[in-house]
Amino acid sequence: MWDDLWLGATVATMQGDGLGLIEEGAVAAKDGRIAFAGPAGSLPGPALSLARRVHDVSGTLMTPGLVDCHTHLVFGGDRIAEFRLSLAGATRAEIAASGGGIVATMRATRAASEAQLLEGARGRLRCLMAEGVTTVEIKSGYGLDRETELRMLRVARRLGREEGIRVVTSFLGAHALPPEYTGRPDDYLDFLAEDVLPAAHAEALVDMCDGGIEGLSIPREAMLRLYAKATALGLPLRGHTDQYRDVGGAAAYAALGARSADHLEYANEAGIEAMGRAGTTAVLLPGSTLFLRETERPPVALFRKHGVRMAIATNCNPGSSPTRSPLLVLALAATMFRLTPEEALRGYTAEAARVLARENEVGTIAEGFAADLAIWNVKDLAELCYWLGGNPLRAVVRGGITA
């Protein structure tokens, strides 16, 4: 007998390359896994004889639980003072020169205890969960030293255990160059590759390795050495690139066989074509575009032309995307980036799961997958991208348990 059976929803299974819609659907869960997903008319018997609990969710849309595949949830302090400076006309370079930017968050994060980091991140995480997120990626990258990077990753693991949500961790020690390594980026990357990343891996704190090819403080060749170490440890690769100008990052990440290249506002067509051939997903982050008031948009038409899969995420962080609303990100992906509602919803479910190497576990409603579900009080899936404000989430199910 199944544990739970949901009846009557329009179910967007995400099976195949589309939405895999089932009208008047039925979805069953047993032991935290999906045991049936299909038309209610295909059930093998009367509903009440099949499950301990039967839920009538007629008139709703059921989707996989959302997968937020790019966040920086764990950090100390905030950057509100910088926000004020930016509104007054200060540039990013001027803010960084005055001691702001990532290094400011580094100082606050180093000064924060594990308990302080945990409670700050818990509040942000609960905002995501309240809008249907059941799997979240959390990066390190605001410690830029051994102790704090490991502390951030421990906090991320604790959040998953304590909040009952799937957490995938990414090592982002090469987020920026810390002051103690000014002028010595090669030494810093060697330190990360030979000390910090192996320590995080040995403690089972890290699932993926993130970084950046942006032509900023971390030279490309140094970044590639860290990626080589991550590959030797069996960690999938990801990276931030081509956000502020075209540095050929799309092609570089395709050559690395990376799971994703993220941002990509200035990516060139040859690099995008290479991503399509390599199966590297484009992760689009409209919260950053909005908050930074950027005018360049990711080349979505080229992604479509070359068969590049597109995921979307909040990029929740204190500096460039203080975004805690997945529903806002869905709306921005459609209105600012011109994704169709179908592309946006796939981008926050099946495609995001692929980025996290969890495509056979979450992001799709199919037998054997985790019973992570979101049930929405909407009649048309486009409503999830239409309303600016409000939350139509009726219920969320994580591992078969209704939250």
Side-chain angles (χ1 to χ4, degrees), residues 84-85 88 113 116 122 137 139 154 168 172 202 213 219 232-233 245 250 296 314 319 358 360 366 388 395:
R84 288 182 176 275
L85 291 173
S113 67
Q116 290 170 325
R122 193 191 305 278
E137 182 259 14
K139 305 179 193 297
R154 291 187 193 108
V168 176
L172 186 58
I213 295 176
L233 293 173
R245 60 189 178 94
E296 193 71 20
T314 59
R358 300 295 190 276
N360 296 317
L388 299 178

Side-chain angles (χ1 to χ4, degrees), residues 232-300:
L233 293 173
L235 298 172
L237 308 181
R238 303 183 59 187
H240 302 54
T241 195
D242 293 338
Q243 181 180 5
Y244 302 114
R245 60 189 178 94
D246 178 10
V247 296
Y253 280 107
L256 287 166
R259 302 293 299 195
S260 75
D262 301 31
H263 288 292
L264 295 170
E265 283 83 348
Y266 288 88
N268 63 58
E269 184 167 5
I272 292 168
E273 184 177 8
M275 287 177 61
R277 291 195 303 268
T280 298
T281 298
V283 177
L284 311 184
L285 305 168
S288 296
T289 302
L290 176 73
F291 190 75
L292 296 176
R293 305 185 299 281
E294 297 286 350
T295 57
E296 193 71 20
R297 302 291 188 263
V300 168

Side-chain angles (χ1 to χ4, degrees), residues 70 86-87 100 103 114 116 149 161 196 208 218 222 225 246 251 281 306 313 393:
H70 184 131
S86 175
L87 292 178
V103 172
E114 183 170 319
Q116 290 170 325
E149 289 291 304
R161 294 192 300 269
V196 189
M208 314 188 84
I218 306 295
R225 291 201 302 276
D246 178 10
T281 298
H306 294 290
L393 185 68

